[in-house]
Amino acid sequence: MTSMEEVIMKYGYYPGCSQTGSAKEYDISLRKVIEKLGASFDEINDWSCCGATSAHVTNHKLSSALAMRNIMLAGQQGLENMVAPCAACYNRLVTSQYEISKHPELREETEELLSAKFQKEINVINILELFLKIGINKIIENRKRELSELKVACYYGCLLVRPAAITKFDDAEQPVSMEKIVESTGAKTVDWNYKVECCGAAHSIARRDIVVDLSKKILEDARSHGANVIAVACPMCHTNLDMRQRAMKRTYPGHEELPVLYLTELIGLALGMNEHELGIDLHYINYKYTDPVPDNTVA
Amino acid sequence: MSANDLKATKKLQASFISPTPQTGPDQDHINSTEHIREHTIADEISERTFQDVSLCYQCGKCSAGCPVRYYMDIAPNKVVRLIQLGFYEDALKSDTPWLCAGCLTCSTRCPKEFDLAKFMDAVREIAIEKGVEIKQKNIIKFHKAFLDQIKSHGRAYEVGLVAEYKMKTMDLFQDVDSAPGMYFKGKLGLLPHNIKDRKGVKSIFKKTSGK
Amino acid sequence: MKIGVFICHCGENISRTVDCPRVARVCESYPGVEYAIDYKYMCSDPGQNMIRDAIREKGLDAIVVGSCSPHMHERTFRNAAVSAGINPFLVEIANLREHCSWVHDDVEAATQKAIELVRMAIEKVKRDKPLSKINVPVTKRVLVIGGGIAGIQAALDTANAGYEVVLVEKEPSIGGHMSQLSETFPTLDCSQCILTPRMVEVYQHPKIKLLTYSEVVKIEGFIGNFKATIKKKARHINEELCSGCGLCITKCPTKKKAYNSFEEDLAFRPAVYIPFPQAVPNIPVIDESVCMYYKNGKCGMCVKVCDRGAIDFDQKDTMLVADIGAIIVATGFKLYNIDKKAADSKYKGYGEYGYGKYRDVIDGLQFERIASASGPTAGEIKRPSDGKVPKKIVFIQCVGSRDDSKGISYCSKICCMYTAKHAMLYKHKVHDGEAYIFYMDIRAGGKMYEEFVRRAIEEDDVKYIRGRVSRIYEENGKYIVKGEDTIAGMPVEIDADLVVLATAMIPQENSAALARTIGIPYDKYGFFNEAHPKLRPVESTTAGVFLAGACQSPRDIPESVAMASAAACKATILLSSDTLEREPVVAKVNEDLCAGCFYCKKVCPFGAIEVKDVKDMNGIVYKEVAYINQGVCQGCGTCTATCLSKSIELAGFNNEEIFAEIAAL
């Protein structure tokens, strides 16, 4: 028999495709951090792609069915909640579930496509909600060091907080929850303007020019507000802000690199893990956290 | 919606511009005994998005906040306007829906609570269904390649995606930035992650594409 | 009982589809009907004479007229009946025009229906009882709630007509929002210059009793006979003794302790203050929340400097009761702000404009103060954050207004005009500055209004950009305003020094609560409802309560003033009679049957129902029953339908009468 504590700390887990490839380090760091904080994951069996941007921009029924397939799997697995660490997956999943609960005709069509009935609503949560649920205090309690050298620009991107009516999470224009989590690592956060501006998202490959421009603006706004690192909670944001800095250097000669870390990596650093364990060395922009030199002058 | 809708649209456009319409869909209706209004593309969009396109009062706040506005041929609000007025062909041919990044900024800020991002989804969807020629070919090819990955593996396999995209675009040198780097760092696996129920996922594609 | 039936052809309006002679013929055979006849125009003089003659000659006791709607000619036929000696409430109208001939085209069926309608009226008139009009006395005093321009105008007009006025204002001075304005559109008159003489006139008027820093807490009674309870908040200054010298204000050590709300928080004030130099009355108020004396019992500087001994720390709120004949509500508006709202608020804030965190993103009233010669910058256009003169200024219209997502669907009506004025004032003061206005539509309906807007564009080079602004954020001391010119189809980004938001006009904070206190209906926003949108725009649905100004919906100064004069006129019409004659169609409680559940009290939309003690011979209360105030009751019948013990009867429409009508069908 499981204790109350364990029940609460167990979460359904929907990794999302990126987590198995380009965002491997997000998956690695998330799992390690969760374990350190005493929570655990129950991965959705045989989960599939949520459909992502490509499905919803081309076929609304396909999009609904691909996302709902996973929600239904979670239900069959007896899960109440499900963490989707990728902001884009999270958004597809909550939106699809919201829409079929609002529109019976779409629900019918989707059920027909999946040859199954939608029976149980799953509480899909994003990465920020996960840490708020686990508790900021847990991070502080388990902290091995304070990341006092960091001035973090928390980047929410588009899909964590929008649309407010569906996500019902934080504030769509001036969110603050990531700041609360980041500050629990001992890092400082900066107030900046581009925390919910879009990085270009799915245009990363087909219209890299757009992504480079938009991401450059985001990086520069963070820098001009005093940030020395950007925290993200979405593999797409990370790809565009981190990896695209290579192309940025060509388009914007003289571009200075700015490290971009997953929120989970920041927490991992505070919990005492090193860059390699957390997969930070897989980033395009190399990053190593250096503790401040102890001030001996007082002694 | 009939397959000839776009043609009908053209006629509607002509009647819209010409002060004394000689022909047009309305003319047919007057002569016919059936007084049934034509099911227009605007109606179709309203149905698919669960919101009436007449909600939009053209304030332009969507365009004002759109991060990709500068790359678009026409403003997002104008796409809605074209649909409202029945200039369907111009709307469906526009770059704008394809450049929409789906960031939901417009939908979040719309004073009429019109979900423009969802509207754009429907415009793209109908453009594909109607076989409208789209200028943003690479974007379409990307989405196609992405969906092909899901169709065959159940998940997006990034190596396969990039490879297929390159084949489709014949742009073999783009993305030299990321892919090799990712191979070196061991991020990208050489084999796709196949899910077990690939048949189930394939059948969704089959049913929705009608093939 | 002898009943006469008169069927009108209404020219051909009725007779085209209803066989009128046949209706008369058939009705004549009904029991109780003594006489029946049809005629081309029953409302004409010969027609009316026909009725009178028939009553006299046939000795009729009651009549039924089959004609047009009772809204049209019920009174005509009642008067005719009265002149022939019949009680007016023994006249019933069967509506054969609007309810029959106009809406049918089958003659046979319409005639059949007309016969049935007349038969219903016959059955009702058989049971009708003679009623007589109710007379109520009138108290010749008007209560005006709100001392802004509407309240001031209403008070002056009423007082000049010779009636006493009690003017209640919640702030320490009258003047309202108009006193805060720099200049007014479209003439660019100095607002205070035209307003302050009126304020003084109010103060000096022998017929006006001015109660500032006071609030209406209770209204009882009914038309002509209200009783108002007014709370006079403690000023802590003896109004009789104070000479208004202002020494206490200059000597108060809490110099900048509180935000100056008259200056829209752009300046500070000490604990003892008058809102502005031209305040009426010119008597300060001590703000307990800031005053050191109330904190620690020390200081008392004001006491030391006041040579008239007017400071009174022990002063308490007092309650005043006044008998009132009519009420004019003129509580005005406030501005919506863009701050983040609580989750349960009916409004939402503008996160995209920073939720009010930027000091140089201000609202229209703040700009008025900045532009005002008596304001915190002495009329120099300077921005709040650093006092610099803005070289690029952006005005944004429709902030909150016409925005369903923020909870306000209506147009605030005055913003187009005052924004044009603001831009003009700016350009007149900062010649090398650039002024941009983001708008959705320019609504400049009004005398010289459109011309005024064109002047801003053509003469003062104000740049109008059609489109809503999506976002404002700060970058290096500039405010980046992201918009789209929807006419050019081009994105627009302006790095402004100062941004002025034309925020929506919304009702005063407690408008809904005040409406409930007075007993008047209000809309979902909290604006008070007029009795009829076209024909009774300044009356509320509660008899004797009138509306003036922006408490009813957004409106500008000339409209508010016109409405105030109209309300004053309505009130004086009411007060011009010594007694009020009211229709006797009111509800009455059978006290023996009443169980005292008071469901009726809950549903009465007019607050006409009170609790009445029934006493025995020794004067001991043995039960409570409902009592319907005949002066307040509007005869709607809601209580009658609600009453569980069937103990309420509506005169002229009692159950017996209604059931007889239905049974006749």
Side-chain angles (χ1 to χ4, degrees):
Chain A
M1 180 115 180
T2 49
S3 75
M4 226 22 216
E5 175 94 346
E6 275 170 304
V7 174
I8 295 166
M9 294 299 273
K10 196 163 181 125
Y11 296 90
Y13 183 46
Y14 175 82
C17 305
S18 302
Q19 241 75 348
T20 65
S22 57
K24 219 174 190 172
E25 66 275 29
Y26 191 15
D27 185 60
I28 295 168
S29 56
L30 172 59
R31 288 179 193 265
K32 285 187 177 160
V33 163
I34 288 301
E35 197 190 329
K36 271 261 162 67
L37 296 176
S40 63
F41 279 159
D42 190 349
E43 190 170 325
I44 313 297
N45 295 322
D46 208 37
W47 59 269
S48 54
C49 176
C50 66
T53 309
S54 297
H56 84 78
V57 302
T58 53
N59 189 323
H60 73 291
K61 289 179 196 168
L62 175 67
S63 169
S64 174
L66 286 175
M68 287 313 293
R69 180 181 179 273
N70 295 295
I71 302 257
M72 289 189 189
L73 285 178
Q76 285 161 20
Q77 214 162 310
L79 295 167
E80 298 295 325
N81 58 36
M82 177 164 98
V83 182
C86 165
C89 299
Y90 161 73
N91 202 280
R92 279 329 308 156
L93 295 169
V94 286
T95 303
S96 299
Q97 186 167 247
Y98 176 87
E99 285 188 341
I100 76 153
S101 66
K102 280 262 167 185
H103 309 294
E105 53 279 48
L106 183 64
R107 178 183 180 146
E108 239 169 69
E109 285 168 346
T110 305
E111 285 175 339
E112 203 196 305
L113 286 173
L114 291 169
S115 312
K117 288 261 173 249
F118 170 58
Q119 275 158 341
K120 191 172 144 198
E121 211 158 291
I122 302 292
N123 181 21
V124 181
I125 59 173
N126 64 39
I127 194 83
L128 302 180
E129 281 173 292
L130 172 69
F131 284 113
L132 294 177
K133 272 185 201 286
I134 291 174
I136 285 168
N137 284 340
K138 273 257 159 55
I139 300 175
I140 298 171
E141 281 164 26
N142 290 287
R143 200 163 65 189
K144 292 284 183 300
R145 58 175 170 182
E146 286 185 36
L147 308 178
S148 53
E149 290 298 285
L150 290 186
K151 292 193 196 89
V152 185
C154 295
Y155 179 66
Y156 295 78
C158 319
L159 301 173
L160 274 180
V161 287
R162 291 198 285 243
I166 296 177
T167 62
K168 292 189 179 66
F169 166 71
D170 206 335
D171 187 283
E173 298 288 351
Q174 312 275 347
V176 290
S177 49
M178 202 193 303
E179 274 83 351
K180 279 185 199 154
I181 298 166
V182 165
E183 280 162 13
S184 73
T185 67
K188 288 174 195 67
T189 55
V190 301
D191 190 15
W192 62 310
N193 292 321
Y194 277 61
K195 54 166 95 164
V196 292
E197 287 290 316
C198 179
C199 64
H203 291 324
S204 196
I205 290 176
R207 285 298 302 265
R208 204 171 58 202
D209 55 327
I210 295 179
V211 166
V212 164
D213 288 352
L214 298 183
S215 299
K216 171 74 177 170
K217 280 189 202 158
I218 293 165
L219 293 170
E220 289 317 313
D221 189 67
R223 196 199 311 281
S224 72
H225 286 83
N228 53 20
V229 59
I230 294 183
V232 297
C234 169
M236 248 191 327
C237 301
H238 192 270
T239 307
N240 288 346
L241 293 184
D242 175 64
M243 204 159 55
R244 291 289 171 240
Q245 288 195 44
R246 187 182 178 131
M248 227 174 264
K249 285 180 193 163
R250 283 198 301 274
T251 316
Y252 299 97
H255 169 76
E256 281 179 53
E257 291 183 349
L258 189 64
V260 183
L261 264 58
Y262 283 106
L263 173 67
T264 46
E265 293 169 339
L266 275 177
I267 298 172
L269 287 174
L271 297 181
M273 287 173 253
N274 68 36
E275 283 77 3
H276 180 67
E277 284 176 276
L278 294 165
I280 296 176
D281 50 5
L282 298 176
H283 293 184
Y284 170 71
I285 306 289
N286 291 319
Y287 179 73
K288 188 159 173 37
Y289 180 75
T290 325
D291 278 311
V293 186
D295 190 357
N296 294 324
T297 49
V298 183
Chain B
M1 195 160 59
S2 77
N4 283 329
D5 255 14
L6 272 179
K7 274 189 191 153
T9 310
K10 262 190 166 167
K11 277 207 276 177
L12 184 64
Q13 271 185 44
S15 71
F16 186 84
I17 297 161
S18 133
T20 47
Q22 299 300 311
T23 55
D26 289 338
Q27 206 71 21
D28 303 338
H29 286 302
I30 292 163
N31 297 335
S32 75
T33 47
E34 266 179 82
H35 294 274
I36 301 167
R37 208 172 73 86
E38 186 195 9
H39 185 77
T40 62
I41 288 180
D43 296 334
E44 185 61 28
I45 292 173
S46 297
E47 261 171 40
R48 288 191 195 187
T49 58
F50 309 106
Q51 57 183 0
D52 206 292
V53 293
S54 66
L55 267 180
C56 170
Y57 61 13
Q58 290 294 318
C59 71
K61 195 175 181 183
C62 46
S63 306
C66 179
V68 275
R69 171 70 187 92
Y70 288 92
Y71 307 90
M72 292 168 166
D73 53 356
I74 57 173
N77 67 289
K78 202 169 163 187
V79 179
V80 186
R81 189 72 191 138
L82 291 172
I83 296 287
Q84 284 176 336
L85 291 178
F87 294 101
Y88 302 127
E89 206 169 337
D90 298 79
L92 296 181
K93 275 184 174 167
S94 161
D95 273 352
T96 300
W98 295 97
L99 287 170
C100 162
C103 73
L104 303 174
T105 305
C106 49
S107 305
T108 303
R109 293 180 185 162
C110 177
K112 294 297 293 176
E113 297 175 322
F114 183 75
D115 190 343
L116 183 62
K118 207 199 267 176
F119 166 91
M120 290 296 184
D121 285 349
V123 173
R124 284 182 285 232
E125 197 174 335
I126 291 170
I128 294 173
E129 286 169 14
K130 300 271 168 213
V132 174
E133 196 180 323
I134 289 133
K135 283 172 275 170
Q136 292 294 330
K137 291 199 167 48
N138 286 1
I139 293 178
I140 272 222
K141 282 173 184 160
F142 170 79
H143 291 316
K144 183 93 190 26
F146 190 95
L147 292 175
D148 281 351
Q149 294 304 311
I150 309 175
K151 195 172 164 186
S152 31
H153 308 297
R155 290 180 194 167
Y157 171 52
E158 285 154 328
V159 176
L161 164 63
V162 173
E164 189 184 331
Y165 174 73
K166 280 168 180 284
M167 289 304 290
K168 281 182 193 292
T169 55
M170 295 307 285
D171 178 5
L172 301 178
F173 297 99
Q174 210 210 325
D175 230 47
V176 283
D177 283 356
S178 46
M182 288 208 273
Y183 283 122
F184 282 127
K185 295 202 171 187
K187 278 187 167 187
L188 297 185
L190 285 170
L191 291 171
H193 295 266
N194 285 324
I195 68 161
K196 288 191 212 108
D197 184 26
R198 292 198 295 283
K199 231 173 108 189
V201 170
K202 246 184 207 131
S203 89
I204 301 174
F205 276 88
K206 213 170 171 184
K207 286 184 205 163
T208 50
S209 66
K211 280 173 213 159
Chain C
M1 184 180 241
K2 291 179 179 173
I3 298 165
V5 176
F6 301 88
I7 307 297
C8 178
H9 295 207
C10 194
E12 285 194 347
N13 272 299
I14 296 174
S15 61
R16 192 180 296 124
T17 25
V18 172
D19 182 349
C20 295
R22 192 168 122 213
V23 175
R25 253 191 340 267
V26 172
C27 290
E28 194 159 24
S29 64
Y30 286 139
V33 177
E34 177 73 16
Y35 177 72
I37 193 161
D38 61 293
Y39 183 63
K40 201 165 182 68
Y41 279 114
M42 212 48 103
C43 60
S44 67
D45 281 347
Q48 290 187 50
N49 284 335
M50 213 170 193
I51 294 174
R52 283 191 204 99
D53 293 346
I55 292 171
R56 290 197 195 100
E57 286 163 19
K58 311 280 174 189
L60 302 176
D61 304 304
I63 63 165
V64 168
V65 186
S67 61
C68 53
S69 159
H71 275 293
M72 196 78 190
H73 279 305
E74 186 179 63
R75 184 174 295 190
T76 312
F77 297 126
R78 280 184 173 175
N79 288 344
V82 168
S83 64
I86 290 186
N87 182 285
F89 293 90
L90 296 176
V91 174
E92 286 294 335
I93 307 292
N95 185 350
L96 303 187
R97 196 177 72 177
E98 285 83 347
H99 286 183
C100 190
S101 68
W102 275 0
V103 289
H104 300 298
D105 43 29
D106 181 84
V107 174
E108 181 53 36
T111 306
Q112 217 25 260
K113 180 175 172 180
I115 292 169
E116 302 216 3
L117 288 171
V118 176
R119 191 167 61 204
M120 286 169 75
I122 293 169
E123 289 307 317
K124 181 160 188 288
V125 86
K126 281 182 187 171
R127 290 156 183 85
D128 280 346
K129 291 175 189 68
L131 301 171
S132 44
K133 300 244 177 180
I134 301 167
N135 279 315
V136 283
V138 176
T139 306
K140 308 221 167 192
R141 188 180 295 119
V142 174
L143 170 68
V144 177
I145 308 173
I149 183 59
I152 288 171
Q153 184 69 37
L156 286 173
D157 285 347
T158 312
N160 287 336
Y163 297 104
E164 278 181 38
V165 174
V166 178
L167 175 58
V168 177
E169 166 58 49
K170 72 175 178 352
E171 298 295 330
S173 168
I174 55 170
H177 284 120
M178 190 178 166
S179 64
Q180 292 177 289
L181 308 183
S182 53
E183 281 155 39
T184 57
F185 62 79
T187 47
L188 296 185
D189 278 323
C190 155
S191 183
Q192 285 214 344
C193 310
I194 56 176
L195 174 69
T196 46
R198 299 263 171 125
M199 291 162 61
V200 173
E201 200 183 333
V202 165
Y203 192 58
Q204 291 171 348
H205 204 294
K207 291 276 188 189
I208 299 177
K209 166 90 176 150
L210 178 59
L211 296 172
T212 53
Y213 211 45
S214 302
E215 281 171 44
V216 172
V217 293
K218 198 168 163 192
I219 298 284
E220 296 159 284
F222 53 94
I223 178 169
N225 296 274
F226 296 106
K227 186 180 273 183
T229 309
I230 299 150
K231 181 168 91 178
K232 199 170 184 320
K233 293 176 278 187
R235 273 186 128 91
H236 302 298
I237 305 278
N238 186 321
E239 290 180 39
E240 311 279 302
L241 297 177
C242 176
S243 67
C245 72
L247 208 55
C248 53
I249 300 169
T250 46
K251 296 291 180 192
C252 178
T254 60
K255 295 264 177 268
K256 292 184 169 181
K257 222 27 197 283
Y259 279 113
N260 186 332
S261 57
F262 180 83
E263 299 293 0
E264 291 295 325
D265 297 354
L266 293 172
F268 300 95
R269 62 160 171 80
V272 56
Y273 69 101
I274 56 167
F276 54 104
Q278 296 77 21
V280 170
N282 182 23
I283 297 168
V285 169
I286 296 178
D287 177 354
E288 279 183 47
S289 67
V290 196
C291 173
M292 314 239 293
Y293 178 84
Y294 291 97
K295 281 227 169 88
N296 51 27
K298 291 182 189 140
C299 188
M301 179 61 86
C302 47
V303 179
K304 280 172 215 146
V305 299
C306 181
D307 58 2
R308 297 176 66 94
I311 310 292
D312 179 1
F313 287 131
D314 299 327
Q315 203 180 64
K316 295 272 178 301
D317 295 351
T318 48
M319 292 292 180
L320 308 171
V321 178
D323 288 324
I324 298 294
I327 300 171
I328 296 172
V329 188
T331 49
F333 71 98
K334 68 168 196 167
L335 286 185
Y336 154 89
N337 69 44
I338 65 164
D339 296 356
K340 191 170 168 112
K341 308 282 184 262
D344 60 348
S345 169
K346 60 178 160 185
Y347 303 113
K348 281 205 182 72
Y350 273 78
E352 61 271 43
Y353 297 175
Y355 282 137
K357 72 175 171 187
Y358 304 126
R359 285 184 68 196
D360 298 323
V361 177
I362 60 174
D363 67 28
L365 276 175
Q366 287 178 315
F367 188 81
E368 293 286 348
R369 293 317 299 150
I370 289 173
S372 170
S374 63
T377 58
E380 257 194 87
I381 308 291
K382 290 175 177 173
R383 64 182 201 171
S385 65
D386 54 11
K388 280 191 190 141
V389 176
K391 291 294 176 196
K392 226 185 250 182
I393 188 165
V394 167
F395 297 90
I396 304 175
Q397 296 189 179
C398 294
V399 177
S401 310
R402 305 174 71 193
D403 190 336
D404 296 350
S405 71
K406 308 300 184 196
I408 304 169
S409 301
Y410 58 83
C411 163
S412 288
K413 199 173 182 185
I414 66 164
C415 327
C416 286
M417 292 309 297
Y418 78 62
T419 302
K421 177 191 75 179
H422 285 172
M424 224 184 243
L425 292 179
Y426 169 77
K427 292 288 283 189
H428 293 175
K429 293 186 181 195
V430 184
H431 300 297
D432 59 341
E434 296 170 40
Y436 298 91
I437 297 178
F438 284 92
Y439 72 101
M440 283 213 291
D441 299 284
I442 300 176
R443 296 183 171 173
K447 195 167 181 172
M448 295 301 288
Y449 283 17
E450 173 66 15
E451 294 91 322
F452 184 77
V453 172
R454 290 312 306 173
R455 200 175 121 199
I457 297 168
E458 292 164 16
E459 288 175 28
D460 293 309
D461 195 26
V462 174
K463 294 274 185 289
Y464 273 74
I465 302 170
R466 197 208 166 274
R468 257 183 193 273
V469 168
S470 177
R471 217 191 145 196
I472 303 169
Y473 60 89
E474 196 204 332
E475 206 170 84
N476 304 323
K478 298 268 190 188
Y479 297 89
I480 310 300
V481 179
K482 284 177 71 112
E484 164 97 9
D485 185 319
T486 58
I487 294 174
M490 300 255 286
V492 178
E493 219 174 273
I494 300 174
D495 52 337
D497 299 307
L498 182 65
V499 180
V500 184
L501 310 178
T503 47
M505 276 173 110
I506 57 174
Q508 286 284 359
E509 202 75 63
N510 297 317
S511 71
L514 180 69
R516 288 192 294 269
T517 302
I518 305 169
I520 52 173
Y522 52 95
D523 66 16
K524 67 171 175 172
Y525 301 106
F527 288 115
F528 304 139
N529 280 348
E530 66 285 358
H532 189 281
K534 309 271 173 214
L535 301 176
R536 296 171 68 193
V538 303
E539 292 162 75
S540 78
T541 49
T542 301
V545 181
F546 307 99
L547 309 173
C551 63
Q552 184 257 348
S553 82
R555 44 174 38 91
D556 61 13
I557 295 169
E559 285 179 337
S560 295
V561 170
M563 199 178 171
S565 289
C569 181
K570 285 280 175 191
T572 52
I573 291 170
L574 171 63
L575 265 49
S576 64
S577 320
D578 294 328
T579 57
L580 278 180
E581 207 175 59
R582 296 221 37 232
E583 287 285 302
V585 181
V586 290
K588 197 163 187 252
V589 177
N590 182 332
E591 292 179 5
D592 296 334
L593 288 178
C594 176
C597 69
F598 299 108
Y599 282 139
C600 53
K601 191 172 190 297
K602 282 186 201 135
V603 299
C604 176
F606 306 100
I609 302 180
E610 295 156 25
V611 178
K612 182 183 167 187
D613 293 339
V614 183
K615 295 172 184 168
D616 63 12
M617 281 160 16
N618 302 320
I620 293 163
V621 178
Y622 71 95
K623 82 168 190 176
E624 284 181 337
V625 295
Y627 169 76
I628 296 168
N629 188 319
Q630 302 212 323
V632 184
C633 177
Q634 302 286 320
C636 71
T638 310
C639 56
T640 321
T642 311
C643 181
L644 296 175
S645 57
K646 302 273 168 270
S647 56
I648 307 182
E649 198 164 81
L650 183 61
F653 293 93
N654 65 32
N655 283 349
E656 197 199 342
E657 290 159 359
I658 304 283
F659 286 140
E661 266 192 292
I662 296 166
L665 255 182

